[in-house]
Amino acid sequence: MNALDSLIEALKRLPGVGQKSAQRMAYHLLQHDRPAVHRLADALTAAVERIHHCERCHTFSETSLCSVCADATRDARLLCVVETPADQAALERTGSYRGYYFVLLGRLSPLDGVSTRQIGAAELLQRAAESGVEEVILATSFTAEGEATAHVLAEALRARGVRSTRLARGVPVGSELEFVDLGTIAHALSDRR
Amino acid sequence: MNALDSLIEALKRLPGVGQKSAQRMAYHLLQHDRPAVHRLADALTAAVERIHHCERCHTFSETSLCSVCADATRDARLLCVVETPADQAALERTGSYRGYYFVLLGRLSPLDGVSTRQIGAAELLQRAAESGVEEVILATSFTAEGEATAHVLAEALRARGVRSTRLARGVPVGSELEFVDLGTIAHALSDRR
């Protein structure tokens, strides 16, 4: 394979990038932005070499403890369980959570071979059992797999006497009731406050 | 800047990739596809080192003459002028053109500082003047800038006694007349055959 085809094939491995987009990217880089090619190659190599997982919460981190876990001023009574580092980043950006995190790096999906072991359930239970943790917030997605994951973890936590909660389901801010799906409205109704 | 943010910034330089997509790409690569990171980094470096321009037609090539220009069996009477290597690749895939190419690597756009010099107009005129070339097919885009480019090149070729033609404008294959824009229908009507 020639260098151009190899580049197009490699770009196709990016999520959301098909043959056409990969071609367009390759042509654009080679024709208009050769400095960006070196920068991207270097950034990719640096990322894969330097970014590992926080040994405490499993999120991406360049140090053995991530900046959140290393921050002793946060609220040690709260532990929030999310599926991905991206979910964690979204929660952090809200600025309304001051506790710690635990990142599953996936969700239970028996058909894809993702079991409690892959999502680090044992480490989570151990982490939740540490003195000081009063509430585990299960912030997995509201999809079938996310719900199943939350259910399994909630059961396991309950068996160990740890209290767990789930994010509120309801009508998104800024949306008109008319256009919200019925399942969401039903939840917003039953969870009204 | 940490390695993750550097990677996201670098990915944003790809055409059609914004903050959200770049984040999703970075998280996906680091979480699910670390081998792809090395492959992409290597492909990028190899591409920028090995891919240059064909000295005859200016398309991307790893050799000083591209495979088309090096192919002596093609029809030397035809020279097709396109804006980009991607346009050339599209024409090649049709399998219905057997002549040679000249790739402008752009189109005239005075506001962006793209003049006849940047698109290699002098080299094109020299190439078109070679013995054997009977027709120059101007296959630039049917946009304002593409049309202007074709017009300027056609004038220059005419002044040198070289015959030039333009791709046919008309109704795209597979489309219903009702949904085709009026300018296209008008052209299809006046160019009817």
Side-chain angles (χ1 to χ4, degrees):
Chain A
M1 210 184 328
N2 65 40
L4 185 59
D5 290 336
S6 302
L7 176 57
I8 291 171
E9 282 307 308
L11 286 166
K12 276 164 70 178
R13 291 280 284 270
L14 295 170
V17 176
Q19 177 70 26
K20 286 256 168 184
S21 314
Q23 266 180 17
R24 198 159 51 97
M25 286 173 176
Y27 286 128
H28 171 86
L29 288 173
L30 289 170
Q31 201 168 323
H32 300 295
D33 207 358
R34 288 192 174 228
V37 178
H38 286 300
R39 245 186 44 188
L40 182 52
D42 293 346
L44 286 162
T45 309
V48 91
E49 274 168 11
R50 283 164 48 193
I51 301 176
H52 302 285
H53 293 286
C54 169
E55 58 191 30
R56 194 164 162 78
C57 77
H58 297 185
T59 196
F60 293 139
S61 175
E62 293 180 44
T63 45
S64 57
L65 268 194
C66 72
S67 59
V68 173
C69 286
D71 179 357
T73 69
R74 297 186 69 117
D75 188 344
R77 290 169 300 178
L78 294 175
L79 183 65
C80 182
V81 178
V82 292
E83 291 178 6
T84 66
D87 294 341
Q88 183 198 7
L91 273 164
E92 275 297 285
R93 277 198 302 277
T94 68
S96 56
Y97 179 70
R98 288 290 303 157
Y100 291 99
Y101 292 93
F102 188 90
V103 182
L104 301 174
L105 298 172
R107 50 188 159 193
L108 289 181
S109 176
L111 290 178
D112 302 324
V114 181
S115 66
T116 47
R117 200 172 148 76
Q118 271 80 39
I119 62 172
E123 288 95 324
L124 168 60
L125 293 174
Q126 201 182 321
R127 173 80 178 80
E130 284 178 16
S131 69
V133 177
E134 292 178 7
E135 178 183 350
V136 175
I137 303 168
L138 297 168
T140 53
S141 308
F142 287 108
T143 57
E145 291 174 346
E147 293 275 24
T149 307
H151 180 77
V152 168
L153 294 177
E155 287 298 304
L157 288 164
R158 198 159 59 95
R160 279 157 187 79
V162 182
R163 181 173 159 247
S164 73
T165 54
R166 191 92 172 90
L167 287 188
R169 275 173 295 203
V171 179
V173 174
S175 62
E176 296 182 60
L177 216 55
E178 183 183 352
F179 303 111
V180 174
D181 73 291
L182 300 184
T184 299
I185 295 183
H187 275 298
L189 204 57
S190 72
D191 293 355
R192 69 186 179 276
R193 30 167 286 170
Chain B
M1 209 183 328
N2 65 39
L4 185 59
D5 289 337
S6 303
L7 177 57
I8 290 171
E9 282 307 309
L11 286 166
K12 275 165 68 180
R13 290 280 285 270
L14 294 171
V17 176
Q19 176 71 26
K20 286 256 170 182
S21 313
Q23 265 180 18
R24 200 160 50 97
M25 286 174 177
Y27 286 130
H28 171 86
L29 288 174
L30 289 170
Q31 202 168 324
H32 300 295
D33 207 357
R34 288 191 173 228
V37 179
H38 285 300
R39 248 185 43 186
L40 182 51
D42 293 346
L44 286 162
T45 310
V48 90
E49 273 168 12
R50 285 163 48 191
I51 300 176
H52 303 285
H53 293 286
C54 170
E55 58 192 31
R56 193 163 164 80
C57 78
H58 296 183
T59 195
F60 293 139
S61 175
E62 293 180 42
T63 45
S64 57
L65 268 194
C66 72
S67 59
V68 173
C69 287
D71 179 355
T73 69
R74 296 185 70 117
D75 189 344
R77 290 168 300 179
L78 294 175
L79 185 65
C80 183
V81 178
V82 292
E83 292 178 6
T84 66
D87 294 341
Q88 183 199 6
L91 274 164
E92 276 296 286
R93 278 199 301 276
T94 68
S96 56
Y97 180 70
R98 288 290 303 158
Y100 291 98
Y101 293 93
F102 189 90
V103 182
L104 302 173
L105 297 173
R107 49 187 160 196
L108 290 180
S109 176
L111 290 178
D112 302 323
V114 180
S115 67
T116 48
R117 200 167 145 78
Q118 270 79 40
I119 62 172
E123 289 94 325
L124 168 61
L125 293 174
Q126 200 181 319
R127 174 78 178 80
E130 283 178 18
S131 69
V133 176
E134 292 177 8
E135 177 182 351
V136 174
I137 303 168
L138 298 168
T140 53
S141 308
F142 288 108
T143 57
E145 291 174 345
E147 293 275 23
T149 307
H151 181 77
V152 168
L153 294 177
E155 289 295 307
L157 288 164
R158 199 159 60 95
R160 278 156 188 81
V162 181
R163 181 170 158 249
S164 73
T165 54
R166 191 96 171 86
L167 286 189
R169 275 173 295 202
V171 179
V173 174
S175 63
E176 294 182 62
L177 216 55
E178 182 180 354
F179 303 111
V180 174
D181 73 291
L182 300 184
T184 299
I185 295 182
H187 275 297
L189 203 57
S190 72
D191 293 356
R192 68 185 180 279
R193 29 169 287 171

